[in-house]
């Protein structure tokens, strides 16, 4: 049995990660409609990674004999009114997710729940990478995407991203 507060936060995180998947799928659809298949590919893979994150929280709860409670996933509500908007929203969202992971970590620390702290270590590191990637996309957009040729090149580069399963196994 895990601490009640930690369990509740882990359950909430399942929902947050599925929401992240939904949000990035929305970004992917937006870029697809705009004819930027590379950006669409990048965010589709991002959505797959978020689904994986959600499943890791599900499995961790199950492995510790805790009930998984699935709540409704909110409708993605990011206003996508420019090509740069999803990139900025993505960065903002990843910073928010980092704060959520840190909150769970803090609760686990308070409860002396070392097992959950160890589980979360992977996510702490992962969030560092997620923020770096999101910042990188914003920077790349600012540097190269002000003309069609640059946009084409960046889109081609993002089109080469491939999916790989998370390095964390439970
Ligand atoms: Fe599940 Fe993008 O963090």
């Amino acid at each position: 049995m895990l601490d009640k507060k930690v369990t509740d936060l882990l359950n909430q995180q399942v929902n947050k990660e599925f929401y992240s998947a939904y949000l990035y799928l929305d970004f992917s659809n937006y870029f697809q409609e705009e004819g930027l298949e590379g950006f669409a590919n990048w965010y589709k893979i991002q959505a797959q990674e978020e689904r994986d994150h959600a499943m890791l929280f599900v499995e961790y709860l199950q492995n510790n004999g805790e009930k998984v409670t699935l709540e409704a996933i909110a409708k993605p509500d990011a206003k996508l009114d420019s090509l740069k908007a999803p990139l900025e929203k993505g960065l903002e969202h990843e910073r928010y997710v980092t704060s959520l992971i840190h909150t769970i970590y803090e609760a686990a620390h308070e409860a002396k729940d070392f097992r959950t702290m160890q589980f979360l270590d992977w996510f702490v590191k992962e969030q560092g990478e997620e923020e770096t990637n999101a910042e990188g996309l914003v920077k790349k957009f600012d540097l190269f995407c002000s003309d069609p040729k640059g946009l084409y090149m960046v889109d081609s580069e993002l089109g080469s991203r491939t999916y790989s399963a998370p390095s964390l196994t439970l």
Side-chain angles (χ1 to χ4, degrees), residues 13 16-17 20-21 24 46 49-51 53-54 57 90 93-94 97-98 101 122-123 126-127 130-131:
Q13 195 61 28
K16 301 285 184 185
E17 299 289 347
S20 300
Y24 292 138
Q46 194 61 29
E49 283 198 359
E50 299 300 349
R51 176 210 54 202
H53 293 171
F57 281 99
H93 185 69
E94 285 307 328
V97 174
T98 298
I101 298 291
W122 185 87
F123 283 93
E126 173 74 4
Q127 279 312 121
E130 296 275 72
E131 285 190 40

Side-chain angles (χ1 to χ4, degrees), residues 44-63:
K44 191 173 78 179
I45 289 168
Q46 194 61 29
Q48 288 173 302
E49 283 198 359
E50 299 300 349
R51 176 210 54 202
D52 290 341
H53 293 171
M55 292 308 294
L56 285 168
F57 281 99
V58 167
E59 284 168 30
Y60 182 74
L61 283 162
Q62 288 173 336
N63 287 353

Side-chain angles (χ1 to χ4, degrees), residues 15-168:
N15 188 274
K16 301 285 184 185
E17 299 289 347
F18 276 126
Y19 174 78
S20 300
Y22 232 40
L23 182 70
Y24 292 138
L25 187 56
D26 197 38
F27 291 2
S28 178
N29 293 341
Y30 167 78
F31 282 119
Q32 192 70 33
E33 277 176 30
E34 293 293 326
L36 291 167
E37 291 182 358
F39 282 87
N41 172 65
W42 200 93
Y43 279 109
K44 191 173 78 179
I45 289 168
Q46 194 61 29
Q48 288 173 302
E49 283 198 359
E50 299 300 349
R51 176 210 54 202
D52 290 341
H53 293 171
M55 292 308 294
L56 285 168
F57 281 99
V58 167
E59 284 168 30
Y60 182 74
L61 283 162
Q62 288 173 336
N63 287 353
N64 284 280
E66 296 292 350
K67 183 175 160 55
V68 180
T69 309
L70 297 179
E71 300 291 348
I73 301 166
K75 183 178 175 174
D77 59 355
K79 204 170 159 217
L80 308 178
D81 52 5
S82 71
L83 297 179
K84 194 179 170 187
L87 312 182
E88 287 175 322
K89 298 284 178 194
L91 175 56
E92 194 184 304
H93 185 69
E94 285 307 328
R95 287 176 177 156
Y96 167 64
V97 174
T98 298
S99 76
L100 296 175
I101 298 291
H102 290 181
T103 298
I104 311 173
Y105 204 102
E106 221 174 314
H109 186 260
E110 267 172 34
K112 293 192 167 51
D113 178 352
F114 302 112
R115 194 188 313 154
T116 299
M117 285 162 69
Q118 193 185 42
F119 164 69
L120 289 173
D121 279 341
W122 185 87
F123 283 93
V124 171
K125 188 163 172 277
E126 173 74 4
Q127 279 312 121
E129 289 171 17
E130 296 275 72
E131 285 190 40
T132 302
N133 290 341
E135 278 164 8
L137 284 182
V138 174
K139 274 186 204 153
K140 210 167 258 186
F141 190 90
D142 287 342
L143 280 170
F144 306 117
C145 294
S146 55
D147 73 274
K149 209 186 209 175
L151 185 60
Y152 178 79
M153 297 292 280
V154 172
D155 190 58
S156 301
E157 185 198 322
L158 298 183
S160 66
R161 182 181 187 190
T162 53
Y163 168 76
S164 56
S167 53
L168 176 68

